[in-house]
């Protein structure tokens, strides 16, 4: 089983390394991940061999504190909200506490520095000391007052920063020293030596040895201890604030779901905590409210802003039977819904869980830093002791040797090593979540940047996964309306997906379908039935036999197929479309082609994959002809067709054995084995089902461009981690030798402990600040292109294109003549559209204009792109929009 723990007392990567080592030694523990950034730990263990108590005891024996997260509230029901609030509150308390410590330290440091070094400042300016300073603090005769005043001013600084000493010596006693140990040892050495100097000054004054007094008066080091602690606190304060920013994405997610919800129980409305909603409860969503739990709409129509879940800003129209997801916002009408997923099972809760787990996970690149951190602090203490001894043996003064050893202790920065990886992963996963890209682990994030081959599933990934009507070929003397009426009436009784496409197209055309009797279905061939027509006089109903299906059915019924029709069938098949033949008892009356059309952004996504140097392969169970047609449309490098779902995993394994780093992008259902087998499995279009265990990355939007964005994000994060690690290693490899005084014999360069402390603080801040740059990463080079492709149309599942209608020629039997009318595209810029309802009204008004074939209304861009016959004037289109209640600011053709 897995359990999460909160760990207290950790201050650097050495701490996390010691905790991890201690817990790993507990019998039954299979895996441990400790995160310094979130002060948390995740342990996988065998419950039969150990328990949480033994794990907590191991942490405490290492010198730290631990508690089970679920005991304080996990992501379960009511406790989830409490835990989330507690997490934010703890973060705010930490920042406030660090700020208070910093202010007090600075308040007492300023007079401390004035007393210890003020006389040098006045001497440099060439002016006399003020009377108080001159009479009481200057001169050897006032040496005790001078030294004791500094000690008194240092005490408040020591008190507010006692955590460094308490934690530092505690971990040192447990033989697991950390960064606090280095600070505590360095500061304590300065303080002890200063107190020793006070005794020597007192001895000198008592025995009249003014030479001893003068010597120790200038070697107190109280100001060094105060400055070291204050500068470290400055760094810790800035680091704490920056670390708070790295988890902004998770905090925003936590604040999205409402705390209360209106439910209907026993016929009355009640406002209850969202955590108390049970599956099956009826709840209300009022205009402007956020959805508390996942559910299905029972009554009402509205549009919902799902940008928090999918990243898309276009509101989605919803009605009875549609699903609503938690954290989406109701933009308009009152909705009555039934709860289906509550508590930890809601969409927003699962997203938060995935992001938190990814943020707390470790990338393989972090292992090197962890190994070094585990031995870093003991090594630094050893170097400080060697430095101290070496300078004493070389004949240097005790003060010089001690100062060099203290500088070594305070300049070394294990924090930079410990923060290099987790801050980048947390910011990176948060950036992904904001864009609808959920990354489950640091390992997946790191592996993704190595991908050189992307394998794409066809259905639902490259295409919409829903067949639509693409071409209509009418027989001689048959109009489009007549053909569609026959086709829709017959297919209405069929449950085949292709039949749904035709019926849906007829509904879009608002055709009245006729009654069908004697309906029969022939497996693998087609259907037949009698369509009842009303004659022109409108008196008697006239039934007529019609057939719909493939060539086999028509041959079986002895209905001839002309050369023209055969040619057209072949041409459609080569384009990857499925031709459906319709005939009466004498002849073919028409052909309707149906196909699973390519998504608008798929071609651009494939192009960008190639731009990144990635080989793109399509893996599909479709036949070679259909696969080839899709390849030609989107520009895929390689196609592997006729593959069963069970064989997809074999193809992925073969590519891996050939030395490729493979990412598989699929719908996460029948592609599960392949997703699990790939180096990185990416589930696309998961929608509300974010808990696909077989995938490493989940794309919330049904957009292949986000697959490109995920790989780009991975490269940016790994590049950032490498920059952080380089800085951490470079800083320590330069700073420690400099502090030890290795350059002093040659060039007289020596580092004061105060400057060492400043450099140490700066190092940690630089690492965190560099990681925060990931917030500015652009995941999509041409994100605006979504609007060109009609993003809002995809969001609303409006994937039905206007089919091309062709009248079959009687004279030319072997050719196809498309009698297409000349069309033109007009763009109208519109003011006044505020919501999805406005968008729908404008679209409806334009579609009702005679001659208009296609309308795409973009709410964000505030325009409408209209494709119409060239006989339709711009003034006619403008008048339709104005009549609908909106203003047209400009028209472009």
């Amino acid at each position: 089983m897995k359990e999460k723990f909160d760990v207290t007392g950790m201050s650097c990567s050495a701490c996390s390394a010691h905790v991890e080592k201690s817990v790993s030694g507990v019998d039954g523990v299979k895996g441990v991940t400790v995160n310094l950034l979130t002060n948390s730990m995740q342990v996988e263990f065998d419950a039969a061999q150990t328990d949480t108590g033994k794990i907590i005891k191991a942490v405490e024996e290492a010198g730290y504190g631990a508690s089970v997260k679920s005991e304080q509230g996990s992501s379960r029901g009511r406790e989830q909200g409490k835990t989330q609030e507690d997490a934010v509150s703890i973060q705010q308390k930490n920042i406030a506490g660090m700020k208070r410590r910093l202010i007090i330290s600075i308040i007492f440091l300023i007079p401390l520095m004035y007393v210890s070094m003020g006389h040098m400042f006045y001497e440099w300016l060439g002016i006399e000391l003020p009377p108080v300073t001159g009479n009481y603090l200057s001169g050897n005769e006032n040496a005790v007052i001078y030294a004791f005043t500094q000690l008194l001013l240092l005490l408040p600084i020591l008190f507010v920063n006692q955590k460094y000493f308490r934690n530092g010596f505690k971990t040192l006693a447990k033989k697991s020293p950390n960064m606090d140990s280095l600070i505590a040892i360095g500061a304590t050495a300065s303080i002890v030596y200063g107190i020793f100097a006070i005794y020597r000054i007192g001895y000198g004054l008592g025995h009249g040895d003014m030479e001893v007094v003068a010597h120790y008066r200038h070697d107190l080091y109280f100001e060094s201890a105060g400055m070291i602690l204050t500068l470290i606190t400055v760094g810790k304060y800035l680091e704490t604030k920056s670390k708070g920013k790295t988890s902004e994405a998770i905090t925003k997610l936590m604040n999205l779901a409402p705390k209360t919800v209106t439910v209907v129980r026993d016929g009355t409305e009640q406002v209850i905590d969202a955590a108390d909603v049970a599956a099956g409860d009826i709840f209300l969503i009022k205009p402007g409210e956020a959805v508390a739990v996942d559910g299905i709409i029972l009554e009402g129509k509205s549009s919902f802003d799902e940008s928090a879940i999918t990243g898309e800003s276009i509101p989605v129209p919803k009605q009875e039977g549609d699903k609503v997801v938690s954290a989406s916002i109701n933009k308009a009408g009152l909705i009555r819904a039934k709860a289906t997923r509550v508590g930890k099972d809601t969409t927003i809760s699962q997203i938060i869980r995935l992001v938190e787990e990814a943020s707390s996970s470790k990338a393989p690149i972090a292992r090197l830093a962890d190994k070094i951190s585990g031995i870093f602090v003991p090594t630094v203490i050893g170097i400080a002791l060697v430095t101290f001894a070496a300078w004493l043996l070389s004949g240097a003064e005790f003060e010089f040797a001690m100062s060099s050893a203290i500088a070594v202790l305070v300049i070394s920065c294990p924090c930079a090593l410990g923060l290099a990886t987790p801050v980048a992963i947390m910011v990176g996963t948060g950036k992904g979540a904001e864009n609808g890209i959920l990354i489950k682990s640091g390992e997946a994030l790191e592996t993704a940047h190595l991908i050189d081959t992307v394998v794409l599933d066809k259905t639902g990934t490259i295409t919409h996964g829903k067949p639509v009507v693409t071409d209509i070929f009418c027989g001689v003397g048959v109009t489009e309306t007549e053909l569609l009426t026959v086709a829709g009436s017959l297919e209405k009784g069929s449950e085949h997906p292709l039949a749904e496409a035709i019926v849906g197209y007829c509904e879009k055309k608002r055709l009245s379908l006729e009654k069908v009797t004697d309906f029969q279905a022939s497996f693998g061939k087609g259907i037949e039935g009698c369509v009842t027509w009303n004659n022109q006089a409108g008196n008697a109903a006239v039934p007529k036999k019609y057939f719909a299906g493939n060539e086999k059915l028509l041959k079986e019924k002895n209905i001839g197929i002309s050369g023209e029709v055969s040619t057209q069938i072949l041409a459609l098949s080569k384009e990857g479309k499925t031709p459906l033949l319709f005939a009466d008892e004498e002849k073919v009356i028409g052909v309707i082609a149906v196909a699973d059309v390519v998504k608008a952004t798929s071609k651009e996504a494939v192009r960008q994959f190639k731009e990144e140097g990635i080989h793109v392969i399509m893996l599909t169970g479709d036949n070679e002809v259909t696969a080839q047609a899709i390849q030609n449309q989107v520009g895929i490098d390689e196609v592997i067709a006729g593959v069963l779902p069970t064989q997809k995993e074999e193809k992925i394994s073969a590519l891996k054995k050939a030395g490729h780093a493979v990412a598989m992008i699929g719908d996460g259902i029948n592609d599960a084995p392949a997703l699990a087998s790939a180096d990185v499995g990416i589930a696309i279009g998961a929608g509300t089902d974010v808990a696909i265990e077989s995938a490493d990355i989940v794309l919330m939007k049904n957009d292949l461009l986000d697959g490109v964005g995920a790989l780009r994000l991975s490269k940016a994060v790994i590049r950032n981690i490498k920059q952080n690690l380089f800085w951490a290693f470079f800083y320590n490899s330069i700073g420690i030798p400099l502090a030890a005084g290795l350059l002093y014999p040659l060039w007289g360069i020596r580092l004061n402990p105060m400057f060492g402390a400043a450099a140490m603080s700066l190092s940690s801040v630089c690492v965190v600040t560099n990681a925060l740059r990931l917030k500015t990463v652009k995941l999509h080079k041409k994100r605006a292109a979504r609007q060109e492709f009609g993003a809002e149309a995809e969001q609303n599942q409006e994937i039905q294109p206007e089919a091309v209608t062709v009248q079959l020629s009687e004279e030319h039997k072997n050719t196809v003549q498309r009698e297409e009318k000349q069309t033109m595209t007009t763009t109208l810029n519109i003011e006044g559209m505020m919501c999805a309802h406005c968008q729908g009204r404008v679209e409806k008004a334009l579609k009702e204009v005679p001659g208009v074939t296609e309308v795409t209304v973009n709410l964000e861009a505030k325009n409408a792109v209209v494709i119409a016959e060239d006989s339709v004037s711009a003034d006619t289109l403008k008048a339709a929009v104005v009549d609908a209640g909106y203003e047209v600011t400009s028209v472009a053709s």
Side-chain angles (χ1 to χ4, degrees):
M1 64 177 292
K2 284 185 178 180
E3 191 66 75
K4 289 183 179 179
F5 298 81
D6 288 320
V7 182
T8 59
M10 295 193 299
S11 60
C12 69
S13 58
C15 300
S16 59
H18 286 304
V19 171
E20 195 165 307
K21 184 178 179 181
S22 298
V23 176
S24 296
V26 177
D27 291 337
V29 170
K30 298 177 181 178
V32 186
T33 302
V34 180
N35 191 294
L36 173 65
L37 188 62
T38 57
N39 289 316
S40 63
M41 173 178 68
Q42 183 167 296
V43 183
E44 183 178 359
F45 60 94
D46 184 350
Q49 292 183 275
T50 190
D51 53 32
T52 56
K54 292 179 181 178
I55 292 172
I56 292 173
K57 184 179 179 182
V59 175
E60 291 174 345
E61 287 178 352
Y64 306 90
S67 60
V68 180
K69 222 173 183 53
S70 59
E71 288 177 0
Q72 300 170 356
S74 65
S75 59
R76 297 184 179 92
R78 178 193 304 277
E79 294 300 321
Q80 178 185 14
K82 182 178 182 298
T83 304
Q84 293 165 357
E85 292 173 3
D86 288 346
V88 175
S89 176
I90 290 171
Q91 186 70 31
Q92 292 173 343
K93 286 180 180 178
N94 286 340
I95 294 174
M98 291 301 301
K99 186 177 181 180
R100 183 172 60 254
R101 285 168 54 185
L102 178 60
I103 291 172
I104 294 174
S105 296
I106 291 174
I107 288 174
F108 286 94
L109 178 67
I110 292 172
L112 173 60
M113 296 303 295
Y114 175 78
V115 171
S116 62
M117 297 183 175
H119 59 282
M120 291 187 285
F121 178 71
Y122 285 110
E123 288 175 8
W124 180 71
L125 292 176
I127 57 178
E128 293 185 3
L129 291 170
V132 175
T133 304
N135 294 335
Y136 295 98
L137 297 175
S138 64
N140 291 337
E141 63 278 11
N142 294 319
V144 172
I145 299 175
Y146 173 73
F148 199 68
T149 301
Q150 291 185 50
L151 177 60
L152 291 176
L153 290 170
L154 176 63
L155 290 177
I157 300 176
L158 296 178
F159 179 77
V160 296
N161 292 294
Q162 60 181 287
K163 184 179 179 181
Y164 296 130
F165 298 91
R166 192 171 59 248
N167 289 345
F169 288 120
K170 180 181 178 182
T171 53
L172 186 64
K174 296 285 185 178
K175 298 180 181 179
S176 56
N178 59 8
M179 187 198 73
D180 289 345
S181 303
L182 300 179
I183 298 169
I185 294 171
T188 300
S190 298
I191 296 165
V192 169
Y193 183 78
I195 294 173
F196 170 74
I198 292 177
Y199 278 95
R200 293 295 292 162
I201 290 170
Y203 175 85
L205 288 173
H207 293 76
D209 191 346
M210 301 308 291
E211 186 176 337
V212 171
V213 174
H215 174 77
Y216 283 100
R217 179 177 172 272
H218 293 101
D219 285 322
L220 290 171
Y221 281 102
F222 289 133
E223 79 285 356
S224 291
M227 182 63 81
I228 287 170
L229 293 171
T230 303
L231 287 174
I232 295 297
T233 304
V234 169
K236 283 289 183 182
Y237 172 67
L238 295 175
E239 182 186 313
T240 303
K241 285 197 71 175
S242 298
K243 282 162 69 175
K245 291 181 180 179
T246 64
S247 58
E248 277 181 356
I250 295 176
T251 304
K252 287 178 182 177
L253 286 172
M254 289 178 173
N255 293 331
L256 288 174
K259 301 293 185 293
T260 60
V261 62
T262 303
V263 298
V264 180
R265 290 178 177 174
D266 300 325
T268 59
E269 296 182 10
Q270 304 175 29
V271 177
I272 64 172
D273 288 341
D276 292 333
V277 178
D281 275 348
I282 306 301
F283 66 100
L284 303 180
I285 315 166
K286 298 176 183 178
E289 282 187 349
V291 183
V293 296
D294 294 11
I296 296 178
I297 296 178
L298 301 178
E299 295 177 17
K301 294 182 180 180
S302 183
S303 58
F304 285 79
D305 179 359
E306 296 183 346
S307 58
I309 303 298
T310 66
E312 284 290 358
S313 58
I314 307 298
V316 185
K318 303 268 187 178
Q319 58 185 359
E320 290 87 347
D322 290 338
K323 294 180 180 179
V324 289
V325 295
S326 53
S328 58
I329 299 173
N330 182 11
K331 304 293 286 186
L334 177 66
I335 295 294
R336 185 184 180 96
K338 180 181 180 180
T340 54
R341 290 183 177 182
V342 299
K344 66 177 182 178
D345 297 323
T346 63
T347 297
I348 192 65
S349 293
Q350 292 187 55
I351 291 174
I352 292 171
R353 177 178 61 80
L354 288 178
V355 175
E356 283 181 336
E357 287 180 358
S359 299
S360 62
S361 65
K362 285 188 178 180
I365 197 172
R367 291 170 189 159
L368 175 63
D370 287 345
K371 288 179 181 178
I372 294 174
S373 297
I375 60 171
F376 184 84
V377 174
T379 302
V380 169
I381 294 174
I383 293 173
L385 292 174
V386 170
T387 299
F388 178 74
W391 281 116
L392 283 181
L393 294 174
S394 66
E397 294 183 356
F398 179 86
E399 293 81 2
F400 183 96
M402 186 188 72
S403 175
S404 297
I406 292 173
V408 168
L409 291 171
V410 298
I411 198 173
S412 56
C413 189
C415 265
L417 283 172
L419 292 171
T421 301
V423 290
I425 288 178
M426 177 165 274
V427 177
T429 51
K431 176 74 176 178
E434 289 172 1
N435 287 273
I437 302 170
L438 301 183
I439 301 163
K440 289 189 174 182
S441 68
E443 185 172 356
L445 191 62
E446 179 175 345
T447 305
H449 89 286
L450 301 171
I451 296 301
D452 60 24
T453 302
V454 167
V455 178
L456 307 175
D457 176 45
K458 181 184 79 70
T459 306
T461 301
I462 299 174
T463 65
H464 283 281
K466 183 179 181 181
V468 294
V469 174
T470 59
D471 301 83
I472 301 170
F473 300 91
C474 302
V476 177
V478 180
T479 65
E480 177 186 314
T481 301
E482 290 172 345
L483 175 59
L484 286 174
T485 301
V486 170
S489 299
L490 283 174
E491 299 290 3
K492 192 173 183 181
S494 173
E495 296 180 354
H496 196 280
L498 300 183
E500 292 178 10
I502 292 175
V503 173
Y505 190 78
C506 292
E507 290 175 350
K508 181 187 175 185
K509 289 286 188 178
R510 298 178 182 175
L511 298 176
S512 297
L513 303 182
E514 303 294 343
K515 181 180 178 182
V516 176
T517 56
D518 298 329
F519 179 87
Q520 292 181 25
S522 300
F523 182 76
K525 297 175 184 178
I527 57 176
E528 60 183 87
C530 293
V531 178
T532 304
W533 297 90
N534 289 322
N535 62 18
Q536 292 182 349
N539 299 324
V542 181
K544 189 174 181 180
K545 190 85 166 181
Y546 288 98
F547 303 92
N550 54 26
E551 293 175 87
K552 288 181 181 179
L553 178 66
L554 269 59
K555 287 179 181 178
E556 187 179 283
K557 301 300 179 180
N558 296 317
I559 300 172
I561 300 174
S562 69
E564 180 184 9
V565 173
S566 296
T567 302
Q568 192 56 49
I569 290 172
L570 181 61
L572 290 169
S573 298
K574 287 183 178 179
E575 293 176 12
K577 301 173 182 177
T578 302
L580 299 175
L581 281 65
F582 294 87
D584 55 23
E585 293 180 290
E586 299 175 0
K587 65 182 184 303
V588 174
I589 64 170
V591 179
I592 298 179
V594 177
D596 182 8
V597 296
V598 171
K599 293 177 188 175
T601 55
S602 292
K603 185 175 181 179
E604 177 64 16
V606 171
R607 187 191 69 78
Q608 291 193 26
F609 273 128
K610 289 181 174 181
E611 202 175 77
E612 296 289 327
I614 294 172
H615 185 67
V616 183
I617 299 174
M618 183 175 76
L619 205 60
T620 178
D622 276 344
N623 59 65
E624 192 71 43
V625 175
T626 303
Q628 192 67 46
I630 299 296
Q631 180 182 21
N632 294 336
Q633 287 184 57
V634 299
I636 291 170
D637 295 317
E638 183 183 346
V639 166
I640 303 175
V643 181
L644 296 174
T646 54
Q647 296 174 320
K648 290 183 179 181
E649 186 273 335
E650 297 174 9
K651 299 294 183 183
I652 297 293
S653 298
L655 287 168
K656 289 171 66 177
K657 286 179 181 177
H660 296 288
V662 183
M664 171 69 190
I665 305 181
D667 59 16
I669 302 169
N670 62 350
D671 299 315
L675 288 169
S677 176
D679 292 301
V680 177
I682 303 176
I684 186 173
T688 58
D689 190 11
V690 297
I692 298 176
E693 297 300 328
S694 54
D696 302 300
I697 298 174
V698 178
L699 307 181
M700 296 299 293
K701 290 177 284 238
N702 203 5
D703 192 341
L704 197 54
L705 275 173
D706 285 334
V708 182
L711 300 189
R712 286 205 179 111
L713 178 62
S714 169
K715 291 179 179 180
V717 170
I718 297 305
R719 183 166 57 248
N720 191 277
I721 289 174
K722 289 180 177 178
Q723 291 169 353
N724 287 344
L725 288 174
F726 171 79
W727 166 252
F729 284 120
F730 174 79
Y731 164 82
N732 283 296
S733 61
I734 296 298
I736 292 175
L738 184 64
L742 293 184
L743 302 181
Y744 187 76
L746 296 175
W747 296 290
I749 298 175
R750 177 171 172 263
L751 194 66
N752 186 287
M754 290 186 287
F755 290 108
M760 179 188 189
S761 299
L762 181 64
S763 178
S764 296
V765 174
C766 285
V767 165
V768 177
T769 304
N770 184 51
L772 289 173
R773 290 192 308 110
L774 287 169
K775 287 180 174 242
T776 64
V777 170
K778 302 294 182 184
L779 301 186
H780 304 90
K781 292 184 179 179
K782 293 187 178 180
R783 196 63 178 183
R786 277 179 181 268
Q787 295 176 4
E788 296 175 26
F789 302 140
E792 73 282 0
E794 289 199 26
Q795 184 69 25
N796 295 322
Q797 303 300 314
E798 294 290 342
I799 60 173
Q800 174 71 66
E802 191 68 30
V804 175
T805 303
V806 177
Q807 193 73 40
L808 293 175
S809 171
E810 185 175 22
E811 298 177 4
H812 305 288
K813 299 295 183 182
N814 297 317
T815 62
V816 177
Q817 298 182 358
R818 298 195 173 205
E819 298 179 355
E820 297 182 61
K821 296 180 179 179
Q822 293 296 317
T823 61
M824 65 182 295
T825 302
T826 305
T827 302
L828 296 89
N829 292 313
I830 303 168
E831 283 295 331
M833 292 192 298
M834 304 299 291
C835 65
H837 291 295
C838 298
Q839 179 184 358
R841 281 193 286 270
V842 171
E843 186 174 343
K844 180 181 178 183
L846 289 169
K847 282 184 175 179
E848 289 177 350
V849 175
V852 171
T853 58
E854 185 175 347
V855 178
T856 302
V857 181
N858 191 317
L859 190 61
E860 278 194 341
K862 295 188 180 301
N863 65 21
V865 179
V866 182
I867 300 176
E869 297 173 9
D870 56 3
S871 60
V872 180
S873 67
D875 289 338
T876 302
L877 298 175
K878 183 177 179 180
V881 175
V882 172
D883 289 343
Y886 303 92
E887 179 185 355
V888 178
T889 57
S890 63
V891 180
S893 298

